[in-house]
Every structure is written in C-alpha cells, then in structure tokens.
C-alpha cells in the first residue's frame, strides 16, 4: 500500500498544526543526533558498508547476541519485504488487524495468505502456516502478546516461523522485547525499528535479530548498500548514547491515559483500550474519512483514517498521543465535531 498510511500531511493543502496520525515520538530526534550525523557528511562521497556491518556489530553487543544474528535494514518495511522474499511462496498467516505491508509483501512474493483475528489467538493455537506475522505491540490496536502467550505459541508451533514486529516495543510498559527468547526458540525472527522512538522515520533504519541460520538466509536476498551512510551514522550515535537518548515514555503513556479518558467522555466517540501511546477510536457521526477531512480543514489537526485496516470499519480512526497542549486541541475539536448538526 503506497498510500493510505498515517503522516500524510503533505497531501493536504491546509497547514497542519498538530499531527496525530503518526505513532512516531512527537518530540523530535535526540539532542546531538543531527549535529553528529552532519559531521559524518564526508561519508556520502563513497559507498556505505555493504551490509552496515559496523552497526550490526554495535547492535549485537547491545543485545548480547552474535553479530551473525543481526541484519541492519533500511527500516522495518524493508525487513518485512525481505522476509517475504526470502520465504517466497510459503503459506503465511497474518494476525489482524495489522500493518498492511505484511499482506502486501506476502502477495508480492506469492505467499498463500491466511488471516487470524487477534482475539481468536489462544495460548495453544495451532497456526498451520510456515510463517506468522505478528506486531507486538500491535499496530493499530496497541494490544500486546504477553511473554507467557508468546512462549506457549512458539512451543506449540515449532514448524512455524514467528515474524515478530517490535517496531513499537519502546512505547509500552506492559511487555519487553522477546530477543531473550532467541536462546530458547529457533523459530523466532524479530524486527526492530530505530525510527519511531527516535523520531527519524525519514532516515529509514531498522534491524532484524534471529538465529544465525535465519539471518544467513535473509542475507542471500539482501541488496548491497541498502542502508545509507547517514542512517548508519545515526545508528552509531543512538547505540553509543543509548541511556541518554530515550524519550520520556512514562510521561507519554500518562498523557495518553489522560487523553483517552477525555475522549471517552465524548458521547459521539468510542475509544478503545491500548497498551501504547496510540489507540483506536470510532466516530458515531459520519465516517473517519469525513472526520479526518473536517479536522484538517477546520482545525489543522491530522488523524489516521483506519478504515483500510483489515477487520476495521469506515468509522475507525487512530490517534497518536502528543503534548498536553496539542491533545487539548484535539479534545476540543472532536467535541465540536460530535455536536455538529446531522449532515
């Protein structure tokens, strides 16, 4: 899906005052990152490392795994398509609702696609596919698979490769990364993002952590020089300064709790629970597409129309929490929307 994601303010003629459509950290990149990246500008005069090997080494040391277990990518979307290409033609299941690129990548590489609703997944579920794509925490719902459930599923389905997308793992206090489970399970592949929590989606940077065998298989299909020199430099800075570059996630989650409570008091909306800073809502007046257009046109506020997520409806939208000041703008605007006269 080339279009239909969030953060599409560039497609609107009205100026955007606050962007709630994206689940990227709203506070911007860590202090010092921009200066460091530009200090490395001379590196653009030559080819970058073929596989960003030095960054792979740094990531491996951070997670306590072998460098042969890490593959750096140009963002999680590249990782998704690389997985789909590596295991082309396999039977794959996507846990839904989910990021559309799992389905799109699988269709591109001729997978036999099946879908499993999140609420139907049980501790002892038999997947029956060679691959299972899971986003944990999930996008767009903010649901999580607990370690107990994930461990049970991995054990119950040893022939299924669990492709676990942890792009939003930093945005929840309910679970932590499943990377330690790699010591116990070889049917687990974890995709990580460095763009959401550090607010650098324009740089495109992520990585995969898995067994040496699985990473070796991925490397056979990896294009050379896919990760540019500036993205590699950003990665080096982030891991070298890891302790001090983390945004205030506890405060962000507290602000989200306040925002969701305020919106839940709006009788014209249904607000759904979430373990992350982003959450789903549904309008009881009109459609999410109409609401999105109205908010942009009249208030300069952008939300994510979530109707194109499989299993969701034309009424569903997604909101990513921002600052308390911005959040109040949205609360006020949505109250105005629900009190409009019927169209």
């Amino acid at each position: 899906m080339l279009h239909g994601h969030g953060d599409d303010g560039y497609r609107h003629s009205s100026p955007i005052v606050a962007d709630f459509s994206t689940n990227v950290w709203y506070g911007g990149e860590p202090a010092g990152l921009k200066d460091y990246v530009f200090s490395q500008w001379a590196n653009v005069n030559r080819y970058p490392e073929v596989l960003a090997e030095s960054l792979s080494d740094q990531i491996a040391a951070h997670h306590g795994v072998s460098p042969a277990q890490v593959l750096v990518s140009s963002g999680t979307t590249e990782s998704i398509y690389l997985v789909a290409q590596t295991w082309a033609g396999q039977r794959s299941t996507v846990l839904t609702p989910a990021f559309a690129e799992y389905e799109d990548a699988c269709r591109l590489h001729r997978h036999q696609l099946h879908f499993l609703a999140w609420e139907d997944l049980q501790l002892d579920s038999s997947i029956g596919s060679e691959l299972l794509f899971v986003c944990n925490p999930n996008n767009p719902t903010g649901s999580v698979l607990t370690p107990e459930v994930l461990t049970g599923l991995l054990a119950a389905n040893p022939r299924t490769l669990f492709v676990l997308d942890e792009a939003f793992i930093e945005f929840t206090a309910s679970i932590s990364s499943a990377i330690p489970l790699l010591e116990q399970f070889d049917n687990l592949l974890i995709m990580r993002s460095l763009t959401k929590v550090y607010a650098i989606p324009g740089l495109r940077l992520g990585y995969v952590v898995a067994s040496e065998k699985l990473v070796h298989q991925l490397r056979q299909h990896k294009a050379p020089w896919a990760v540019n020199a500036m993205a590699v430099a950003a990665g080096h800075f982030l891991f070298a300064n890891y302790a001090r570059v983390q945004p205030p996630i506890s405060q962000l989650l507290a602000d989200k709790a306040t925002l969701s409570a305020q919106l839940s008091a709006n009788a014209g909306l249904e607000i759904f629970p979430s373990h992350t800073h982003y959450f789903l809502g549904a309008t009881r007046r009109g459609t999410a597409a109409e609401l999105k257009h109205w908010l942009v046109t009249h208030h300069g506020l952008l939300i994510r129309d979530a109707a194109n997520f499989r299993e969701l409806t034309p009424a569903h939208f997604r909101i990513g929490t921002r600052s308390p000041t911005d959040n109040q703008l949205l609360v006020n605007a949505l109250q105005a929307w629900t009190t409009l006269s019927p169209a």
Side-chain angles (χ1 to χ4, degrees):
M1 181 170 64
L2 294 178
H3 299 291
H5 296 290
D7 200 12
D8 60 349
Y10 69 94
R11 304 181 72 192
H12 300 273
S13 56
S14 301
I16 303 301
V17 176
D19 185 357
F20 295 88
S21 74
T22 176
N23 35 29
V24 172
W25 160 239
Y26 72 85
E29 78 281 354
L33 175 61
K34 180 180 177 181
D35 289 343
Y36 178 80
V37 168
F38 277 97
S39 76
Q40 304 299 304
W41 183 258
N43 289 328
V44 305
N45 299 135
R46 54 182 179 272
Y47 284 98
E49 298 169 8
V50 172
L51 292 174
E53 292 90 342
S54 64
L55 183 54
S56 291
D57 291 346
Q58 196 174 12
I59 293 170
H62 175 81
H63 289 298
V65 300
S66 163
Q69 291 181 257
V70 176
L71 183 63
V72 179
S73 67
S74 183
T76 298
T77 298
E78 190 209 357
S79 299
I80 293 167
Y81 278 81
L82 185 59
V83 168
Q85 179 185 8
T86 301
W87 287 279
Q90 297 296 305
R91 178 184 170 100
S92 292
T93 295
V94 177
L95 196 61
T96 59
F99 186 44
E101 300 303 335
Y102 309 140
E103 180 176 346
D104 290 353
C106 286
R107 291 196 188 282
L108 178 65
H109 294 288
R110 308 175 308 283
H111 288 234
Q112 304 168 52
L113 264 173
H114 302 268
F115 301 95
L116 177 63
W118 189 278
E119 61 267 23
D120 293 335
L121 189 67
Q122 305 296 324
L123 182 65
D124 57 351
S125 290
S126 178
I127 303 303
S129 293
E130 281 80 25
L131 288 85
L132 174 68
F133 286 84
V134 183
C135 190
N136 195 35
N138 189 41
N139 176 28
T141 64
S143 303
V144 299
L145 287 184
T146 65
E148 295 75 19
V149 171
L150 181 58
T151 300
L153 287 167
L154 286 163
N157 297 272
R159 296 184 180 180
T160 297
L161 174 58
F162 283 67
V163 183
L164 193 67
D165 184 351
E166 291 189 344
F168 304 100
I169 194 68
E170 293 90 356
F171 291 105
T172 182
S174 300
I175 58 171
S176 55
S177 176
I179 288 177
L181 292 179
L182 292 171
E183 294 183 5
Q184 185 179 355
F185 298 100
D186 58 10
N187 59 327
L188 176 61
L189 182 152
I190 299 170
M191 302 183 295
R192 296 291 297 267
S193 171
L194 291 170
T195 64
K196 301 338 187 259
V197 74
Y198 302 119
I200 53 170
L203 274 179
R204 312 306 306 134
L205 185 61
Y207 58 97
V208 170
V209 190
S211 69
E212 292 187 10
K213 177 182 177 181
L214 292 176
V215 170
H216 176 76
Q217 290 176 271
L218 288 173
R219 283 185 179 140
Q220 306 315 301
H221 299 271
K222 185 81 163 67
W225 311 302
V227 184
N228 71 75
M230 296 294 94
V232 171
H236 283 309
F237 178 90
L238 293 172
F239 283 100
N241 298 276
Y242 188 82
R244 74 167 185 83
V245 299
Q246 305 309 309
I249 297 301
S250 295
Q251 184 59 56
L252 180 63
L253 292 173
D255 292 341
K256 170 257 181 175
T258 299
L259 174 60
S260 61
Q262 288 177 297
L263 295 181
S264 293
N266 186 329
L269 305 174
E270 182 178 6
I271 301 300
F272 299 89
S274 167
H275 290 269
T276 62
H277 72 301
Y278 55 86
F279 54 93
L280 285 177
T283 177
R284 294 189 169 103
R285 180 192 184 281
T287 67
E290 293 167 339
L291 171 58
K292 175 181 176 180
H293 177 74
W294 185 85
L295 285 171
V296 169
T297 303
H298 295 280
H299 296 273
L301 304 178
L302 186 63
I303 61 170
R304 168 69 152 92
D305 176 3
N308 59 358
F309 283 98
R310 185 178 290 273
E311 293 186 8
L312 299 187
T313 73
H316 281 93
F317 57 88
R318 191 193 67 200
I319 289 172
T321 303
R322 293 181 57 84
S323 70
T325 300
D326 286 349
N327 294 343
Q328 191 60 52
L329 292 176
L330 183 63
V331 170
N332 296 343
L334 287 172
Q335 187 59 49
W337 163 261
T338 59
T339 55
L340 288 173
S341 299

